[in-house]
Amino acid sequence: YDSLLKKATSAKADADAAEKAAKEKEAALVKAEKQAKKEAELAKKMEQKYEADKIKLDKAELEAMKKGDTAAEKALVDKEVQEKQAAQVLEKAAKADAVKEAKLAEEAERAELAAKKAEEKAKAAEAAAAKKLAEQKDAEAKKAAFLAM
């Protein structure tokens, strides 16, 4: 009975540890979501800056065209370069967010599975301990009845 009680206690401790780990993973997930939100806000600010720069370039391009300058060509090239750079920055941020979210979801899923398994072990150990105790009491009752005869 004592060994079963120890197993049940150990399984309960495992379940508690797994539950704690799951909570920590959940906290990490929340933290990652906040980080992703910050990065999304940063990307939005960069996009706004890009839009503002684009408007400035468009104006500069118009003025250069009015002057009949070759500066229009240079402004056009600069504009294209800046557009490509901004698109690359936004794409990198999106990819990084997707990878982080996938990793965190996978970790949280594993922790949840481990918690469920530990909980099942604890329940099984408790049931075995209860069964063993019932068998012991039954045997004691039969012995007492036999001795009473």
Side-chain angles (χ1 to χ4, degrees), residues 39 88-102:
E39 289 176 8
Q88 286 172 345
V89 167
L90 293 173
E91 188 178 347
K92 281 182 186 177
K95 283 181 183 176
D97 286 349
V99 169
K100 281 181 188 174
E101 287 178 24

Side-chain angles (χ1 to χ4, degrees), residues 35-135:
Q35 181 65 28
K37 206 178 212 179
K38 282 183 185 177
E39 289 176 8
E41 287 175 13
L42 179 64
K44 188 175 181 181
K45 285 180 184 175
M46 290 175 69
E47 193 174 355
Q48 289 171 347
K49 183 184 181 317
Y50 162 74
E51 289 298 325
D53 288 348
K54 185 177 175 187
I55 291 169
K56 287 179 190 174
L57 282 172
D58 288 345
K59 286 181 182 177
E61 188 178 327
L62 273 174
E63 287 178 26
M65 284 180 171
K66 286 179 186 172
K67 293 178 184 175
D69 248 354
T70 57
E73 288 177 19
K74 185 184 181 319
L76 193 59
V77 170
D78 288 348
K79 177 181 168 185
E80 288 173 1
V81 168
Q82 282 189 348
E83 285 175 356
K84 284 180 185 175
Q85 287 174 342
Q88 286 172 345
V89 167
L90 293 173
E91 188 178 347
K92 281 182 186 177
K95 283 181 183 176
D97 286 349
V99 169
K100 281 181 188 174
E101 287 178 24
K103 284 182 182 177
L104 286 170
E106 190 176 305
E107 286 179 22
E109 196 174 303
R110 275 187 269 168
E112 195 174 309
L113 190 63
K116 284 181 182 176
K117 284 184 181 179
E119 195 173 316
E120 287 172 8
K121 282 184 183 178
K123 286 180 181 176
E126 285 177 26
K131 182 179 177 187
K132 185 74 173 176
L133 182 62
E135 287 173 0

